[in-house]
Amino acid sequence: MIAALGGQKTEIDLKNIYVRNVRIIGSTLRSRPPQVKAQILSALVRDVWQKVAAGEIRPTIYKVLPITDAEKAQDILYRGENVGKVVLTVE
């Protein structure tokens, strides 16, 4: 999640978290000074982006579907049958 535009409080289904073996990790950069944000960005560019560009770090893609199958993709996510990303393509 990026930002908390929906507010600070929410309800979650803990059983779904356990069953899917999901981890929830929280962090905020809002209170960090600009120099710290710049250091984090520099480290990301230095340590991660090159590996992404070289193909050393790749997302796990479960299925690629056309955007017209968005409802099918949502069902896959809802049922938790995917291991990896479900990607929608726009042509």
Side-chain angles (χ1 to χ4, degrees):
M1 179 177 95
I2 299 174
L5 299 177
Q8 295 179 1
K9 295 183 181 183
T10 187
E11 290 186 26
I12 60 171
D13 178 355
L14 287 178
K15 183 178 179 188
N16 192 27
I17 300 293
Y18 301 145
V19 168
R20 295 182 64 194
N21 197 25
V22 173
R23 290 184 292 158
I24 300 174
I25 301 171
S27 179
T28 181
L29 296 177
R30 181 173 293 229
S31 61
R32 305 278 179 100
Q35 334 52 308
V36 172
K37 293 177 187 180
Q39 289 173 345
I40 292 169
L41 177 58
S42 293
L44 179 69
V45 170
R46 181 187 67 238
D47 300 333
V48 178
W49 288 150
Q50 292 175 355
K51 293 179 180 182
V52 171
E56 294 176 48
I57 297 175
R58 295 187 323 259
T60 301
I61 298 176
Y62 175 75
K63 192 169 279 197
V64 178
L65 300 167
I67 191 79
T68 54
D69 286 344
E71 190 172 330
K72 182 178 178 181
Q74 182 63 40
D75 289 341
I76 290 168
L77 296 173
Y78 180 76
R79 289 189 304 270
E81 69 184 60
N82 59 304
V83 175
K85 304 296 182 190
V86 176
V87 178
L88 295 175
T89 57
V90 179
E91 296 180 26

